[in-house]
């Protein structure tokens, strides 16, 4: 059973959540409707972005849609600044960071201050010099959109939880969780700040998720275009200034600009979707749309998805929905309130495509879905339907294991007070082991 502290916190949590949900339901739609939308609530604590590799991860926020509040937070692990792994000479003793005056240069020999002392014909030089790798406060300021010999990392597109009506990609808890995933999986995490209900009902959050996936593809194409301009437009060895590159990109693509962190370090051909609670519903929707789009999404390729205690429901109750209806933190009554706030009144149904992943004739066929890891908790009333979805995927030969955690509650690995528990740490490590099977360039020998 969960600890006494968890039980007490659950009572307090449900009291506040019920009060907030009821207040939002009582708000007239004409007052709450807002096409621009909101992505966070004033009562929630948020963590400011920090480009200084605090705890080994740098972050930045980007507003990617001028017509809505859709935004993202990028989590870049410090390991991305290392050059491709190369064996070190055995005869040369390894110096500590404090003793090695050229530590930054050795660590990032394809960046700046790039190759100080290297001859002009040194192949390590890029046609674009790095723009002050770090400032005095250790912030990662930026660099060329396409430095040579940089390390490319997979991209994890993450969707936070919160029952459609709360939570944010920059909350303290989500920031902590995404940092953990970025370091354990050695990936760039892109946390999506989708629009919340009731200001924006279905399908706003789902459309935002798909919009970010398409934005990743656009960024990859912009970066490749920039690279072509730099390497071929003036001939081999010619150099553009930073201003010239930006002018060329703006002339060709309007206001579109290359996002330098993703251009230098992101590998969209190894993209993983990770959804938490209701975010898992969004991840599954985005995965389906990615399957339908096929090569139209190139160079983005969704290679796997992780569904953490998904927010699935249906008209015909499962055994866990009956037995655990009054479970911890998110019980069935409050989740129904959240669904009423999210789904338009004329479309409300527990068998809505956004709610039930196993309704008949849902496209595309399950056999085309990407490998799917499902995480469930013993004391979560939604667990059985998530397990049923995983079983349906396995029946059509999709790699779809289930990780069930004993004595765990809904959001046990992502809720603020539970983030540092052994279960939360073990869950993140288990996710990393599985994900590495599909993002490793060399493959991974461990399999569930």
């Amino acid at each position: 059973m969960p600890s006494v502290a968890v039980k007490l916190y659950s009572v307090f949590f449900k009291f506040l959540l019920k009060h907030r949900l009821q207040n939002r339901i009582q708000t007239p739609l004409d007052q709450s409707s807002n096409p621009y939308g909101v992505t966070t609530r004033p009562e929630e604590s948020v963590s400011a972005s920090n480009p200084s590799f605090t705890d080994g991860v740098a972050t930045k926020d980007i507003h990617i849609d001028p017509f809505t509040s859709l935004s993202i937070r990028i989590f870049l692990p410090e390991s991305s600044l290392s050059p491709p792994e190369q064996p070190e000479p055995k005869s040369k003793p390894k110096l500590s960071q404090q003793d090695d005056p050229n530590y930054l240069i050795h660590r990032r020999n394809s960046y700046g201050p790039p190759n100080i002392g290297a001859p002009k014909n040194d192949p390590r030089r890029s046609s674009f010099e790095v723009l002050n790798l770090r400032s005095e406060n250790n912030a990662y300021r930026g660099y060329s959109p396409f430095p040579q010999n940089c390390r490319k990392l997979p991209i994890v597109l993450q969707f936070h939880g919160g029952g459609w009506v709360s939570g944010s990609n920059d909350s303290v808890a989500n920031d902590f969780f995404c940092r953990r995933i970025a370091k354990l999986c050695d990936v760039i995490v892109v946390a999506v700040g989708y629009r919340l209900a009731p200001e924006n009902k279905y399908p706003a959050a789902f459309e935002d998720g798909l919009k970010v996936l398409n934005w990743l593809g656009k960024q990859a194409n912009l970066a490749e275009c920039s690279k072509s301009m730099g390497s071929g437009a003036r001939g081999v060895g010619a150099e553009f200034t930073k201003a010239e590159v930006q002018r060329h990109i703006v002339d060709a693509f309007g206001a579109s600009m290359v996002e330098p962190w993703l251009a230098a370090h992101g590998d969209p051909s190894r993209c993983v979707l990770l959804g938490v609670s209701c975010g898992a519903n969004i991840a599954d929707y985005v995965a389906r749309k990615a399957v339908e789009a096929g090569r139209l999404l190139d160079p983005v390729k969704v290679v796997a998805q992780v569904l953490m205690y998904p927010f699935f429901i249906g008209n015909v109750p499962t055994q866990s929905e009956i037995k655990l209806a009054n479970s911890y933190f998110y019980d069935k009554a409050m989740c129904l309130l959240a669904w009423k706030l999210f789904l338009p009144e004329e479309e409300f149904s527990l068998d809505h495509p956004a709610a039930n992943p196993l309704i008949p004739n849902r496209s595309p066929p399950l056999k085309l879905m990407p490998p799917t890891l499902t995480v469930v908790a013993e004391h979560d009333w939604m667990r059985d339907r998530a397990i049923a979805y995983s079983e349906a995927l396995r029946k059509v030969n999709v790699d779809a294991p289930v990780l069930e955690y004993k004595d765990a509650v809904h959001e046990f690995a992502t809720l603020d007070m539970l983030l540092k528990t052994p279960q939360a740490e073990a869950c993140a490590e288990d996710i990393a082991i599985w994900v590495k099977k599909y993002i490793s360039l060399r493959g991974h020998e461990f399999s569930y």
Side-chain angles (χ1 to χ4, degrees):
M1 294 295 291
S3 66
V4 174
V6 169
K7 293 179 180 178
L8 291 176
Y9 186 71
S10 174
V11 173
F12 175 72
F13 180 91
K14 290 203 289 186
F15 174 79
L16 287 180
L17 181 60
K18 183 178 180 180
H19 177 71
R20 291 168 182 168
L21 290 175
Q22 288 176 339
N23 284 343
R24 292 187 182 115
I25 281 182
Q26 293 169 3
T27 302
L29 287 178
D30 58 350
Q31 294 182 18
S32 64
S33 179
N34 181 356
Y36 189 75
V38 297
T39 59
T40 188
R41 300 296 182 189
E43 67 269 12
E44 297 174 347
S45 58
V46 298
S47 176
S49 60
N50 185 351
S52 302
F53 289 106
T54 301
D55 193 28
V57 179
T59 60
K60 72 159 67 170
D61 294 328
I62 304 176
H63 179 215
I64 67 172
D65 185 3
F67 302 106
T68 70
S69 58
L70 174 62
S71 63
I72 61 171
R73 170 164 290 187
I74 301 177
F75 295 79
L76 181 71
E78 193 169 13
S79 61
S80 64
L81 302 186
S82 301
E85 293 182 4
Q86 296 178 356
E88 297 184 1
K90 295 182 179 180
S91 59
K92 184 177 179 179
K94 186 176 181 180
L95 299 177
S96 65
Q97 296 180 17
Q98 293 79 9
D99 297 333
D100 187 358
N102 298 319
Y103 169 68
L104 285 179
I105 300 174
H106 291 169
R107 180 82 182 273
R108 309 169 185 85
N109 62 3
S110 58
Y111 301 112
N115 307 304
I116 295 175
K120 289 186 177 181
N121 61 353
D122 193 305
R124 293 177 298 174
R125 282 186 176 269
S126 170
S127 59
F128 283 78
E129 297 293 357
V130 178
L131 312 173
N132 294 329
L133 184 63
R134 296 197 186 201
S135 62
E136 292 181 359
N137 63 356
N138 204 39
Y140 192 33
R141 297 179 60 185
Y143 36 75
S144 152
F146 40 91
Q148 294 179 355
N149 300 324
C150 61
R151 188 176 181 212
K152 296 288 188 177
L153 297 181
I155 297 174
V156 170
L157 205 58
Q158 190 262 358
F159 305 94
H160 66 81
W164 308 117
V165 298
S166 61
S168 68
N169 65 332
D170 58 357
S171 69
V172 173
N174 200 66
D175 185 88
F176 185 96
F177 174 73
C178 289
R179 287 175 179 273
R180 173 178 281 172
I181 292 297
K183 289 187 291 185
L184 285 174
C185 296
D186 199 20
V187 296
I188 298 174
V189 176
V190 177
V192 181
Y194 56 85
R195 289 170 290 171
L196 302 176
E199 289 84 355
N200 292 93
K201 294 178 177 286
Y202 172 86
F206 287 73
E207 291 176 343
D208 287 350
L210 184 58
K211 188 175 295 184
V212 174
L213 187 70
N214 288 320
W215 178 84
L216 287 178
K218 184 177 182 181
Q219 284 297 314
N221 290 323
L222 283 172
E224 186 61 29
C225 181
S226 301
K227 184 176 180 180
S228 299
M229 290 182 199
S231 61
R234 291 192 177 185
V236 178
E239 295 189 3
F240 285 85
T241 65
K242 178 189 175 188
E244 286 176 318
V245 175
Q246 292 181 342
R247 184 175 69 251
H248 279 296
I249 299 173
V250 172
D251 288 343
F253 298 97
S256 299
M257 294 296 293
V258 173
E259 203 307 296
W261 288 14
L262 294 178
H265 301 293
D267 180 0
S269 68
R270 293 180 288 160
C271 181
V272 176
L273 308 178
L274 190 157
V276 176
S277 190
C278 65
N281 297 44
I282 301 175
D284 189 64
Y285 169 84
V286 173
R288 289 173 182 270
K289 291 300 181 181
V291 169
E292 292 176 352
R295 298 191 64 179
L296 294 176
L297 275 176
D298 284 350
V300 176
K301 183 178 180 181
V302 175
V303 297
Q305 67 170 339
V306 180
L307 308 180
M308 300 182 68
Y309 20 83
F311 213 61
F312 295 153
I313 196 171
N315 274 323
V316 180
T318 64
Q319 184 176 355
S320 65
E321 290 172 357
I322 297 172
K323 182 179 179 180
L324 302 172
N326 194 33
S327 56
Y328 304 96
F329 294 102
Y330 291 90
D331 60 32
K332 188 172 183 178
M334 283 191 295
C335 290
L336 288 174
L337 290 178
W339 278 108
K340 288 180 180 179
L341 285 166
F342 177 64
L343 294 176
E345 185 175 354
E346 64 276 10
E347 295 184 36
F348 182 79
S349 169
L350 298 185
D351 280 335
H352 190 281
N356 190 344
L358 293 174
I359 58 173
N361 302 320
R362 186 174 181 181
S363 62
L366 291 181
K367 65 181 180 180
L368 300 179
M369 291 296 287
T372 302
L373 173 66
T374 304
V375 175
V376 297
E378 181 184 10
H379 297 289
D380 182 3
W381 69 273
M382 293 174 275
R383 61 183 291 278
D384 281 2
R385 201 171 299 273
I387 294 173
Y389 182 47
S390 181
E391 290 175 347
L393 290 172
R394 290 198 298 276
K395 287 180 180 178
V396 291
N397 297 322
V398 175
D399 182 19
V402 175
L403 293 179
E404 181 175 4
Y405 293 83
K406 300 297 181 183
D407 295 328
V409 298
H410 190 79
E411 289 223 41
F412 72 92
T414 47
L415 202 62
D416 49 4
M417 76 159 294
L418 303 176
L419 279 167
K420 296 184 179 180
T421 62
Q423 271 189 325
E425 294 176 356
C427 179
E429 292 171 358
D430 291 342
I431 289 173
I433 291 172
W434 185 81
V435 164
K436 286 179 180 178
K437 291 196 301 178
Y438 297 99
I439 62 175
S440 174
L441 294 175
R442 294 177 297 177
H444 199 272
E445 67 277 7
F446 186 86
S447 176
Y448 287 97

